[in-house]
Amino acid sequence: MEIPTPHQICRVCGECADAVHFGALSCRACAAFFRRKVAAGKPLSSSRCSGSCKLENQVLRRLCAKCRYEKCVQVGMRTSAVLSRLAVKSEPEFESLLDQIKLAYERLQMARKEAFHTEGHIPKMIKYQEMHKMCSFDLQLVSQHFTSIFQSLTPISEAQKVTLGEYFTVPFVLLDGSYRSVESDYIVFPNGDYVDAQNIDAFYQNPDEKDESIGSSVASILEPYWRLHHQTLWEQMKKVKPSLIEFLVLSAFIFWDFGLQGQSEECIKVCNQLRARVNAELSTYEKTFYTAGDYSLRVAEVVYLLQSVQKSLAIMHSCKTLGYVFDFRDRTCPLNDNLEKTHSK
Amino acid sequence: MEPLDNTSLEESQFRPEKKEKSTCSICREDGDGYHFGAEACRACAAFFRRSVSLDKTYLCRGNNDCEITANIRCMCRSCRFAKCLEVGMNPAGVQQRRDTIGKREIKPDSTDLMQLLGSVGDGYPPTTSAQSALVEDLHPSFNDRMPILMKMRVNYRKMDNARLVIHRKDGQSLFKEKTPKAVNYKEACAQSIREVSLVADWVAWCFDDFVTLPMDQKKVLFRNFYTPFSVLEGAFLCHINDTSNALILPSGDYIDTNNLKSFFNIPDEEQPMTDDEIEKFCRMFKPSFELNRRGLVLPMMAEKIDVFEFFALCTFVFWDFGLDEQTDDCMMIGKSVKDRVMKELAFYLRCAKRLEEPSLRVASLLTLLPALQRCVRRFQEDIEITNVFNVYAPPKDFYDLVNGKFC
């Protein structure tokens, strides 16, 4: 029998999946199981269950309904997507925005895997030239696989979609980088390579230059900014440790921003509506999964990270200016070109 | 005949029929139905009614976390009352004690209360400063659960009163109401400089933790706070005075953003530019005022931000993180203050504003902070431009103030 590829596997039991059911990739059996249990509306309990039953195949998945149902919810199946017999004729509910954004992010991650050949790649400390190449390529991937989903979800003019996309790229890349680096002591790039923010001297060296002092002087000028950047975004991210859903909510808030220059009133209105929907989905998520106290405090903790992203953006602006003043623009980040677009507005 | 309780008519009409004994959500004793908005027994309902109508203030001898159960519910009245509020009992639902002679005054219900808390003045130009948003008091019972926000409010009133004095011209009567006027950039700079010591005092009065910090850290926090606070408060004043086409200053005066020419026009002084050049100059700075209007003022109006929410935002702006020369200790203290204020805000939203989903409101409020940061940076860039080209350049002390290079 042909082994199914990762994106054809049922997220619940590991058998062949046939489609996205109720918000998660699954096989028909698990989808039918979920529909039956939601429609029955009875709480599931099992005295024998330890809460971690294996569900990895057709036989095992039938042994514990409670764990199977919980796994369905965990992988993203939504009870609200199951129509009651009465509701079949009524208007269907909005599809979850976060589900769609999550799928897009998973596609982006797969595209990165293919593009950067991360399978079997041994991570190494990189220098600025390599980072530039990779970063430029990654920006295209982000635009193609991730920014585009937000644009397609936003019913506004093409010009306004472009404006939102331009404002989104840099803050998203900053957020994404810090999210990826949460478990590491380094700043990790999409291909797994990294930079030690505490020791950036090596990062700014150019092997083709005989004079090492050029790289060192750039490092000494920019070192305080790296330190601030680390303190402002990376450390805050490590403290909050957002889950994937929380990270995606922040991404959505960054895209559907308000009060941007060049943004029309109509666009602001649409963005506010979409933010409100994402906000409601975040609340529902925290209510379900946050068990350490008042979930509204967790919402605050997560949303407050937007402040960190904005601060990092300001630091990047300063670095860009320094690059012009001290004439080391070739060593500053390729993100600066994107910064230029929004700043000139 | 069974005595009537003070539950409102609507509530009793739609009260579900009791099929089985309900449980009091305060002491876990057998319940007696809904009282003042929560499932409660008669004893707890009576306790809550007495506490509210007699304006009682209780003090906990422990850590404000005493256990409240049927057999020991009388032990700590402070915690028992706090639990009443927590489970959703509404002080506004308690009728005032009836005066057998006089006509009784009806307490506003929770919706009126909220309108008053975030009340909007009567249009533009503004009548006074933020006073109009500070009309209605919350019930004293909220003081214990919102100590920082309440302190901020009391001290903000003091600051507002002091403003009436410091922004008067010599010879102007303090008792005669000041008529707001459109100011030019020199007057705006001068007013802002006069505000510094007031805002510094306000901060010191509000946060006990601030007083304990070493002097260098106090300076770091305050110099990074003043400009964002001015921008945030300006937007809040526009919101409570219901105007988005002027920028209202704490003195009650305003910058007419529809007529920036008058802002750059200094009477009795030689103009550094021709009319055409001034026109260009206005066009150059108009987007900054627009950014402020669309990024802060309009969202505040749309969200109907009230005074306690404004104070919570001020707290987050003040106890900032990742500042140049800021120590880890200072950041840790800041985090603890912000956590406490966030708890107070969540309590306020749940118990005073009676929101079922405070988290939605919290997220909406906090998304204003990045917008504020953008506005501040834009403002600083504008000041830099005027300074570099030495046209309408602000006085040095104002330039330093805006860029956090003072104190």
Side-chain angles (χ1 to χ4, degrees), chain A residues 7-8 28 38 46 50-51 53 92 105 146 164 175 202 205 223 228 241 262 285 308 321:
Chain A
H7 45 284
Q8 294 172 317
R28 289 194 175 192
V38 172
S46 171
S50 63
C53 303
Y105 189 69
F146 201 55
L164 291 181
L175 178 72
Q205 294 302 340
E223 191 272 331
L228 260 180
K241 283 199 169 63
Y285 169 82
S308 300
T321 308

Side-chain angles (χ1 to χ4, degrees), chain A residues 13-161:
Chain A
C13 69
E15 291 291 322
C16 280
D18 82 313
V20 172
H21 296 279
F22 310 120
L25 193 64
S26 63
C27 62
R28 289 194 175 192
C30 289
F33 164 82
F34 183 71
R35 185 191 295 108
R36 284 196 308 276
K37 293 301 168 199
V38 172
K42 289 174 189 163
L44 292 162
S45 60
S46 171
S47 50
R48 299 168 302 172
C49 166
S50 63
S52 55
C53 303
K54 286 190 163 59
L55 307 162
E56 272 71 59
N57 59 40
Q58 287 180 0
V59 179
L60 291 175
R61 74 186 176 200
R62 292 162 66 190
L63 295 180
C64 181
K66 184 171 181 278
C67 286
R68 189 180 184 187
Y69 179 77
E70 277 171 7
K71 184 84 183 283
C72 288
V73 173
Q74 200 181 317
V75 299
M77 286 194 184
R78 295 186 330 280
T79 52
S80 60
V82 179
L83 297 173
S84 68
R85 288 197 179 98
L86 291 171
V88 173
K89 287 173 190 158
S90 69
E91 215 174 292
E93 210 186 71
F94 278 130
E95 196 183 341
S96 160
L97 288 173
L98 289 178
D99 284 351
Q100 296 174 70
I101 295 166
K102 187 178 169 198
L103 277 171
Y105 189 69
E106 283 167 1
R107 279 200 295 273
L108 170 64
Q109 294 296 66
M110 284 170 75
R112 280 169 165 170
K113 248 182 194 170
E114 284 171 29
F116 299 125
H117 314 295
T118 52
E119 297 290 330
H121 172 74
I122 298 164
K124 63 180 192 306
M125 199 180 281
I126 57 169
K127 298 196 185 305
Y128 73 93
Q129 300 102 316
E130 298 161 282
M131 187 202 78
H132 283 197
K133 266 187 212 154
M134 186 193 49
C135 205
S136 303
F137 192 30
D138 191 50
L139 285 172
Q140 290 171 32
L141 294 179
V142 168
S143 170
Q144 196 181 331
H145 295 279
F146 201 55
T147 311
S148 57
I149 185 73
F150 285 107
Q151 288 170 325
S152 69
L153 289 169
T154 317
I156 48 172
S157 71
E158 285 307 312
Q160 287 294 300
K161 285 180 183 183

Side-chain angles (χ1 to χ4, degrees), chain A residues 214-234:
Chain A
I214 300 171
S216 298
S217 64
V218 172
S220 68
I221 292 168
L222 292 180
E223 191 272 331
Y225 293 90
W226 277 78
R227 197 174 58 244
L228 260 180
H229 196 55
H230 198 265
Q231 206 178 37
T232 299
L233 185 55
W234 265 264

Side-chain angles (χ1 to χ4, degrees), chain B residues 156-335:
Chain B
Y156 192 78
R157 273 187 176 148
K158 286 182 187 169
M159 178 164 75
D160 240 16
N161 291 331
R163 280 169 166 167
L164 294 175
V165 179
I166 68 157
H167 292 301
R168 293 275 159 160
K169 286 210 171 76
D170 291 340
Q172 266 187 324
S173 166
L174 274 175
F175 303 101
K176 200 173 166 195
E177 198 164 318
K178 180 176 180 285
T179 313
K181 66 179 178 71
V183 293
N184 58 45
Y185 83 98
K186 271 200 169 169
E187 291 167 319
C189 291
Q191 285 191 14
S192 195
I193 289 161
R194 281 203 292 274
E195 282 277 312
V196 177
S197 56
L198 274 188
V199 177
D201 281 346
W202 179 58
V203 164
W205 290 333
C206 291
F207 303 116
D208 298 336
D209 301 78
F210 178 68
V211 183
T212 64
L213 287 174
M215 184 51 79
D216 66 319
Q217 291 305 296
K218 285 181 183 174
K219 286 179 177 178
V220 166
L221 287 178
F222 188 70
R223 66 171 172 250
N224 283 284
F225 170 68
Y226 184 75
T227 304
F229 170 72
S230 301
V231 174
L232 182 67
E233 190 189 26
F236 181 65
L237 293 175
C238 288
H239 150 50
I240 62 172
N241 285 288
D242 202 20
T243 179
S244 65
N245 50 9
L247 206 60
I248 297 176
L249 304 173
S251 62
D253 293 333
Y254 56 95
I255 296 167
D256 186 350
T257 53
N258 282 343
N259 180 15
L260 285 177
K261 243 179 166 177
S262 68
F263 179 63
F264 291 113
N265 180 33
I266 315 292
D268 314 323
E269 272 190 33
E270 196 183 320
Q271 294 301 317
M273 286 181 167
T274 65
D275 275 3
D276 276 356
E277 287 171 328
I278 291 177
E279 197 68 56
K280 273 185 195 164
F281 207 66
C282 292
R283 271 206 304 276
M284 189 163 105
F285 289 113
K286 181 78 176 165
S288 303
F289 288 104
E290 190 57 16
L291 179 71
N292 190 69
R293 188 180 79 89
R294 286 157 46 120
L296 281 178
V297 179
L298 294 179
M300 275 189 172
M301 286 175 158
E303 293 289 345
K304 295 187 172 65
I305 302 289
D306 72 38
V307 75
F308 288 110
E309 293 168 327
F310 165 65
F311 292 147
L313 287 172
C314 290
T315 307
F316 273 74
V317 174
F318 181 75
W319 293 100
D320 205 349
F321 59 91
L323 304 172
D324 218 0
E325 296 174 32
Q326 188 180 19
T327 61
D328 288 345
D329 263 0
C330 178
M331 274 191 272
M332 270 170 59
I333 290 169
K335 186 179 180 336

